[in-house]
Amino acid sequence: MPLTLTLTEGVLPKGQEKIAFARLSEAMLKWHGLSGNKVMTPNVIGSIHVLPKDQTFIGMQETAVAFIEWKVPCFAFTNREVQLGYFEEATNIIYEMSGGKQPKDNIYINVVHAVDGAWNLGGKARTNTELGELVARG
C-alpha cells in the first residue's frame, strides 16, 4: 500500500520526514487491525516529496502544506471509524511534528482505491479476494 507524503520545505524540521512516514504508516496498519501483519507490513511502501515553498498552493496562493495520500485496495479505509480515527491521528502526527506550526487546515489526506484485480503483490496481479486471503494468513 503506497503512501505518498508530500510536504512543503520547512513544514517538518529537516530530517524528520522519515519519522513522519513511519508514524503515518504504523497508524494506518493499527487502524486496520494489521499491526505486525507479515503480509501487509512489508508491503507498506511509498515515497516522500519535499517541495520548495513556491511549489505548493492552496487557493492558487503559495502556502505550506502537507499531503498524505494512500493508494490501497478497495476494501481499505471503508469503515467510517477507521477513516475518522486515522485522519485525526495522521493530522495530529504532522501537526505535532511541526511543533504546532503547520495549521491543521493545511494538512490534507486522501485515499485512492485500486481497481479490483489491479493490485500487484509478489509479481502477480491480485484480486481483492486473493489479497484478503493473503492478509488473513499474515
Side-chain angles (χ1 to χ4, degrees):
M1 290 197 240
L3 165 60
T4 302
L5 176 59
T6 304
L7 303 163
T8 306
E9 178 177 58
V11 166
L12 298 182
K14 191 163 181 64
Q16 294 297 298
E17 301 88 356
K18 292 177 188 176
I19 295 168
F21 186 94
R23 289 183 64 192
L24 293 166
S25 298
E26 290 165 359
M28 185 279 296
L29 289 168
K30 177 189 82 174
W31 279 99
H32 285 89
L34 295 170
S35 295
N37 182 281
K38 292 179 187 341
V39 172
M40 291 314 305
T41 301
N43 284 292
V44 175
I45 60 173
S47 58
I48 300 168
H49 306 270
V50 180
L51 300 174
K53 294 179 181 184
D54 65 348
Q55 298 293 306
T56 58
F57 302 86
I58 295 175
M60 297 163 282
Q61 301 295 314
E62 291 178 14
T63 308
V65 297
F67 302 131
I68 301 162
E69 180 176 84
W70 285 98
K71 292 181 181 87
V72 296
C74 70
F75 52 81
F77 285 103
T78 55
N79 177 291
R80 188 66 177 148
E81 182 181 331
V82 170
Q83 294 167 351
L84 293 170
Y86 178 80
F87 282 42
E88 179 180 9
E89 185 171 347
T91 298
N92 287 336
I93 287 169
I94 298 299
Y95 178 76
E96 291 165 10
M97 290 187 72
S98 78
K101 295 178 184 171
Q102 180 64 19
K104 289 183 178 184
D105 287 348
N106 294 355
I107 300 169
Y108 297 89
I109 305 166
N110 73 314
V111 173
V112 177
H113 283 126
V115 173
D116 188 17
W119 197 264
N120 180 54
L121 191 64
K124 179 183 175 192
R126 307 285 181 158
T127 65
N128 292 330
T129 300
E130 291 171 326
L131 281 173
E133 290 169 355
L134 287 171
V135 170
R137 286 186 251 157

